[in-house]
Amino acid sequence: KRRVLVISGAPGFEPSFMARAWALDSGLDVDSVVRKGKNADGRDTFVIQAAADRTNALATGFPQRRDDLYVYDALVIANVEGDFFTRAQLAMVADFVSERGGGLLVAGGRSLAARGLIGTPLEPVLPVELDDRRGGVARASFAPAERGAPNQLVVTPEGETHPVMRLGASGQGENDTRAKWAALPPLAASTPLGQARAGASVLAVVASRDGGVFPAVAVQRYGQGRSMIFGGEASWRWRMLAPSSDRSHELFWRQAVRWLSTASPDPVSVSAPDTLEPGDTASVDIIARDASFEPVADARVTATASLEGGDEQTLPARR
C-alpha cells in the first residue's frame, strides 16, 4: 500500500470528501491530522486518525523528525496557512520530495494564498508561481471560447492525456475525458496563481469572473519526487451536484494521490531487467536505505528467488 499523510487546516466538506475518495482505494493507507481549534492555553488542538504506531509522532500536528515524515509516500496539505509550519518543517517537506522521493499535494486557498509560502523552502517545490504578477502567459495561451464559465475547470491539451486527469473510459481517449470534465459543476472559487515553472505541466485551468485564466491543477517532478497544486475550492460539488452515478470526484482524487506516490521508493528497493528469457544471466540491483532514506553503506542483504514448485534459491549479494 501507498502510505499518505493528510494535514487539514480545519474540519470541512472538502477534506471530508477527499478522505472518502481515498478510503475507497484499497491500495492507499491514509493517516490524517485535522486542526480543530485552540485550547484554554491558546494552543492548537488536533483530531488525529492514524495507525497506533504513528499517532504519537503526529501529536503536535506535524511530524517533528525526518524519520517520522519519511515513513509516508505522499503528503497532502489542505487549506493550512503557511505560517502554521516552522521554516525547519517546510525545509523538511522540501527534502521529503527532492531527496526521499515522496509526493506533495498542496490544495486550498489558505495554503496557496499570496505570501503564505512565498520565500519559504517549499516555494520552489510547487509547480507554479504563487502570485499572478507574471501570469499573463497562462491567460494568453487560452482563447476566450476555451475558458468556460467562471470557476469551471477546463482541461488543457496536456491534461487530457495525463493519468491524474483521465476520466474517460478505456479506449475512448481524450474526447471522453474532455466531455466528462466539461459536464461537471463549476467550483465555488479558485486561487489566482501565476505561470507554471520550467518543466511543470498545467493540467487544468479556471476562468475568474473578471476574465482571467489561472492554473487550477499543475504538476511537476522535483528532485526524486513529484508535486501538485489544486487551486480550486469545493471540489465536493463534483460529487454532490452531479448525478449519483458520476464517480469523477473519487476518480480524480484517487488518481492524483496514486500518481504522486507511485515514484516514492521503499526503504529497500529491488530492480531487475524487464524482460528475461530462460537461460539468461542478469543482475538484480538492491538499494537499502535507513529511516531517513540515507543509503546504508554497511547493509547486509539476503536475497532469495522463488522457483516453480515452491523451492527457493539463494542469490549471491555483493556490494
Side-chain angles (χ1 to χ4, degrees), residues 214-242:
F214 303 98
V217 181
V219 297
Q220 75 170 352
R221 296 178 182 271
Y222 186 81
Q224 300 296 318
R226 299 172 173 181
S227 66
M228 171 178 168
I229 61 99
F230 179 74
E233 295 285 347
S235 70
W236 54 266
R237 286 171 165 237
W238 300 337
R239 188 72 197 89
M240 297 302 293
L241 302 182

Short mmCIF file of all heavy atoms in Angstrom, two decimals, residues 214-242:
data_model
loop_
_atom_site.label_atom_id
_atom_site.label_comp_id
_atom_site.label_asym_id
_atom_site.label_seq_id
_atom_site.Cartn_x
_atom_site.Cartn_y
_atom_site.Cartn_z
N PHE A 214 -6.44 31.10 -14.85
CA PHE A 214 -5.37 30.74 -13.93
C PHE A 214 -5.21 29.22 -13.85
O PHE A 214 -6.19 28.48 -14.03
CB PHE A 214 -5.66 31.27 -12.52
CG PHE A 214 -5.87 32.76 -12.47
CD1 PHE A 214 -7.15 33.29 -12.46
CD2 PHE A 214 -4.80 33.62 -12.46
CE1 PHE A 214 -7.36 34.65 -12.43
CE2 PHE A 214 -4.99 34.99 -12.43
CZ PHE A 214 -6.27 35.51 -12.41
N PRO A 215 -4.00 28.74 -13.57
CA PRO A 215 -3.83 27.30 -13.37
C PRO A 215 -4.67 26.81 -12.20
O PRO A 215 -4.73 27.44 -11.14
CB PRO A 215 -2.33 27.17 -13.06
CG PRO A 215 -1.70 28.41 -13.59
CD PRO A 215 -2.73 29.49 -13.44
N ALA A 216 -5.34 25.68 -12.39
CA ALA A 216 -6.12 25.06 -11.31
C ALA A 216 -5.49 23.75 -10.86
O ALA A 216 -5.50 23.43 -9.67
CB ALA A 216 -7.56 24.81 -11.77
N VAL A 217 -4.94 23.00 -11.80
CA VAL A 217 -4.22 21.76 -11.48
C VAL A 217 -2.89 21.81 -12.23
O VAL A 217 -2.87 22.00 -13.45
CB VAL A 217 -5.01 20.51 -11.91
CG1 VAL A 217 -4.24 19.24 -11.53
CG2 VAL A 217 -6.40 20.49 -11.28
N ALA A 218 -1.80 21.67 -11.49
CA ALA A 218 -0.48 21.68 -12.11
C ALA A 218 0.41 20.69 -11.38
O ALA A 218 0.24 20.45 -10.18
CB ALA A 218 0.15 23.07 -12.07
N VAL A 219 1.35 20.10 -12.11
CA VAL A 219 2.23 19.07 -11.54
C VAL A 219 3.65 19.30 -12.04
O VAL A 219 3.87 19.95 -13.06
CB VAL A 219 1.77 17.65 -11.92
CG1 VAL A 219 0.38 17.34 -11.36
CG2 VAL A 219 1.78 17.46 -13.44
N GLN A 220 4.59 18.74 -11.31
CA GLN A 220 5.97 18.71 -11.78
C GLN A 220 6.75 17.63 -11.04
O GLN A 220 6.36 17.21 -9.94
CB GLN A 220 6.66 20.06 -11.60
CG GLN A 220 7.07 20.40 -10.18
CD GLN A 220 7.97 21.64 -10.11
OE1 GLN A 220 8.41 22.17 -11.13
NE2 GLN A 220 8.24 22.10 -8.90
N ARG A 221 7.82 17.21 -11.63
CA ARG A 221 8.80 16.37 -10.94
C ARG A 221 9.80 17.30 -10.27
O ARG A 221 10.24 18.27 -10.88
CB ARG A 221 9.50 15.44 -11.93
CG ARG A 221 8.57 14.43 -12.57
CD ARG A 221 9.30 13.55 -13.57
NE ARG A 221 8.40 12.62 -14.21
CZ ARG A 221 8.11 11.41 -13.76
NH1 ARG A 221 8.68 10.98 -12.64
NH2 ARG A 221 7.27 10.63 -14.41
N TYR A 222 10.13 16.99 -9.03
CA TYR A 222 11.07 17.83 -8.29
C TYR A 222 12.05 16.90 -7.58
O TYR A 222 11.67 16.18 -6.66
CB TYR A 222 10.33 18.70 -7.28
CG TYR A 222 11.23 19.70 -6.57
CD1 TYR A 222 11.58 20.89 -7.18
CD2 TYR A 222 11.73 19.43 -5.30
CE1 TYR A 222 12.41 21.81 -6.55
CE2 TYR A 222 12.55 20.34 -4.66
CZ TYR A 222 12.89 21.52 -5.29
OH TYR A 222 13.72 22.43 -4.65
N GLY A 223 13.31 16.94 -8.03
CA GLY A 223 14.28 16.01 -7.47
C GLY A 223 13.85 14.58 -7.72
O GLY A 223 13.52 14.20 -8.84
N GLN A 224 13.81 13.78 -6.67
CA GLN A 224 13.41 12.39 -6.78
C GLN A 224 11.90 12.21 -6.73
O GLN A 224 11.40 11.10 -6.97
CB GLN A 224 14.06 11.58 -5.64
CG GLN A 224 15.57 11.60 -5.63
CD GLN A 224 16.15 10.94 -6.87
OE1 GLN A 224 15.69 9.89 -7.31
NE2 GLN A 224 17.18 11.56 -7.43
N GLY A 225 11.16 13.26 -6.38
CA GLY A 225 9.72 13.11 -6.17
C GLY A 225 8.87 13.94 -7.11
O GLY A 225 9.32 14.40 -8.17
N ARG A 226 7.61 14.15 -6.70
CA ARG A 226 6.64 14.84 -7.53
C ARG A 226 5.83 15.80 -6.66
O ARG A 226 5.65 15.56 -5.46
CB ARG A 226 5.69 13.85 -8.20
CG ARG A 226 6.37 12.86 -9.13
CD ARG A 226 5.40 11.80 -9.61
NE ARG A 226 6.01 10.94 -10.62
CZ ARG A 226 5.38 9.94 -11.23
NH1 ARG A 226 4.12 9.67 -10.93
NH2 ARG A 226 6.00 9.21 -12.15
N SER A 227 5.33 16.88 -7.28
CA SER A 227 4.48 17.82 -6.55
C SER A 227 3.28 18.19 -7.41
O SER A 227 3.31 18.09 -8.64
CB SER A 227 5.26 19.07 -6.15
OG SER A 227 5.63 19.82 -7.29
N MET A 228 2.23 18.65 -6.72
CA MET A 228 0.98 19.01 -7.40
C MET A 228 0.29 20.10 -6.61
O MET A 228 0.35 20.14 -5.38
CB MET A 228 0.08 17.77 -7.51
CG MET A 228 -1.33 18.03 -8.00
SD MET A 228 -2.28 16.48 -8.13
CE MET A 228 -3.94 17.13 -8.34
N ILE A 229 -0.38 21.03 -7.31
CA ILE A 229 -1.24 22.00 -6.65
C ILE A 229 -2.65 21.84 -7.20
O ILE A 229 -2.85 21.47 -8.36
CB ILE A 229 -0.76 23.46 -6.83
CG1 ILE A 229 -0.74 23.86 -8.32
CG2 ILE A 229 0.60 23.68 -6.20
CD1 ILE A 229 -1.96 24.65 -8.75
N PHE A 230 -3.63 22.11 -6.31
CA PHE A 230 -5.03 22.19 -6.72
C PHE A 230 -5.53 23.53 -6.23
O PHE A 230 -5.68 23.75 -5.02
CB PHE A 230 -5.85 21.05 -6.14
CG PHE A 230 -7.31 21.11 -6.51
CD1 PHE A 230 -7.72 20.78 -7.78
CD2 PHE A 230 -8.27 21.52 -5.59
CE1 PHE A 230 -9.06 20.85 -8.15
CE2 PHE A 230 -9.60 21.59 -5.93
CZ PHE A 230 -10.01 21.26 -7.21
N GLY A 231 -5.78 24.45 -7.15
CA GLY A 231 -6.12 25.82 -6.78
C GLY A 231 -7.60 26.09 -6.63
O GLY A 231 -7.99 27.22 -6.38
N GLY A 232 -8.42 25.06 -6.78
CA GLY A 232 -9.86 25.25 -6.68
C GLY A 232 -10.38 25.12 -5.26
O GLY A 232 -9.67 24.68 -4.35
N GLU A 233 -11.62 25.52 -5.07
CA GLU A 233 -12.31 25.39 -3.79
C GLU A 233 -13.60 24.61 -4.00
O GLU A 233 -14.33 24.84 -4.97
CB GLU A 233 -12.64 26.77 -3.20
CG GLU A 233 -11.43 27.60 -2.82
CD GLU A 233 -10.77 27.12 -1.53
OE1 GLU A 233 -11.39 26.31 -0.82
OE2 GLU A 233 -9.63 27.54 -1.27
N ALA A 234 -13.89 23.69 -3.08
CA ALA A 234 -15.15 22.94 -3.07
C ALA A 234 -15.27 21.99 -4.25
O ALA A 234 -16.27 21.99 -4.98
CB ALA A 234 -16.35 23.89 -3.01
N SER A 235 -14.27 21.13 -4.42
CA SER A 235 -14.41 20.09 -5.43
C SER A 235 -15.49 19.09 -5.06
O SER A 235 -15.93 18.30 -5.91
CB SER A 235 -13.08 19.36 -5.62
OG SER A 235 -12.77 18.56 -4.49
N TRP A 236 -15.96 19.13 -3.80
CA TRP A 236 -17.05 18.25 -3.41
C TRP A 236 -18.31 18.52 -4.23
O TRP A 236 -19.21 17.67 -4.30
CB TRP A 236 -17.37 18.40 -1.92
CG TRP A 236 -17.66 19.80 -1.45
CD1 TRP A 236 -16.78 20.68 -0.92
CD2 TRP A 236 -18.93 20.48 -1.50
NE1 TRP A 236 -17.40 21.88 -0.62
CE2 TRP A 236 -18.72 21.78 -0.97
CE3 TRP A 236 -20.21 20.13 -1.93
CZ2 TRP A 236 -19.74 22.72 -0.87
CZ3 TRP A 236 -21.23 21.07 -1.84
CH2 TRP A 236 -20.99 22.34 -1.31
N ARG A 237 -18.41 19.67 -4.90
CA ARG A 237 -19.53 19.94 -5.79
C ARG A 237 -19.61 18.91 -6.91
O ARG A 237 -20.70 18.62 -7.42
CB ARG A 237 -19.39 21.34 -6.41
CG ARG A 237 -19.69 22.49 -5.45
CD ARG A 237 -19.34 23.82 -6.05
NE ARG A 237 -19.93 24.92 -5.31
CZ ARG A 237 -20.74 25.84 -5.83
NH1 ARG A 237 -21.05 25.78 -7.12
NH2 ARG A 237 -21.24 26.80 -5.10
N TRP A 238 -18.44 18.38 -7.31
CA TRP A 238 -18.44 17.36 -8.36
C TRP A 238 -19.14 16.09 -7.89
O TRP A 238 -19.55 15.29 -8.72
CB TRP A 238 -17.01 17.04 -8.78
CG TRP A 238 -16.25 18.20 -9.32
CD1 TRP A 238 -16.76 19.34 -9.88
CD2 TRP A 238 -14.84 18.34 -9.37
NE1 TRP A 238 -15.75 20.18 -10.27
CE2 TRP A 238 -14.56 19.60 -9.97
CE3 TRP A 238 -13.78 17.54 -8.98
CZ2 TRP A 238 -13.26 20.05 -10.18
CZ3 TRP A 238 -12.48 17.98 -9.18
CH2 TRP A 238 -12.23 19.23 -9.78
N ARG A 239 -19.24 15.93 -6.58
CA ARG A 239 -19.92 14.75 -6.04
C ARG A 239 -21.38 15.04 -5.72
O ARG A 239 -22.27 14.26 -6.05
CB ARG A 239 -19.20 14.30 -4.74
CG ARG A 239 -19.73 12.97 -4.22
CD ARG A 239 -19.24 11.85 -5.13
NE ARG A 239 -20.00 10.63 -4.95
CZ ARG A 239 -21.10 10.32 -5.62
NH1 ARG A 239 -21.63 11.18 -6.47
NH2 ARG A 239 -21.71 9.18 -5.45
N MET A 240 -21.65 16.20 -5.11
CA MET A 240 -22.99 16.48 -4.62
C MET A 240 -23.91 17.10 -5.66
O MET A 240 -25.13 16.99 -5.56
CB MET A 240 -22.90 17.40 -3.40
CG MET A 240 -22.18 16.79 -2.22
SD MET A 240 -22.92 15.24 -1.67
CE MET A 240 -24.50 15.83 -1.04
N LEU A 241 -23.35 17.79 -6.66
CA LEU A 241 -24.18 18.45 -7.66
C LEU A 241 -24.18 17.72 -8.99
O LEU A 241 -24.76 18.21 -9.97
CB LEU A 241 -23.71 19.90 -7.87
CG LEU A 241 -23.73 20.80 -6.62
CD1 LEU A 241 -23.28 22.21 -6.99
CD2 LEU A 241 -25.10 20.81 -5.98
N ALA A 242 -23.54 16.57 -9.04
CA ALA A 242 -23.52 15.75 -10.25
C ALA A 242 -24.44 14.54 -10.04
O ALA A 242 -24.85 14.25 -8.91
CB ALA A 242 -22.09 15.28 -10.55
#
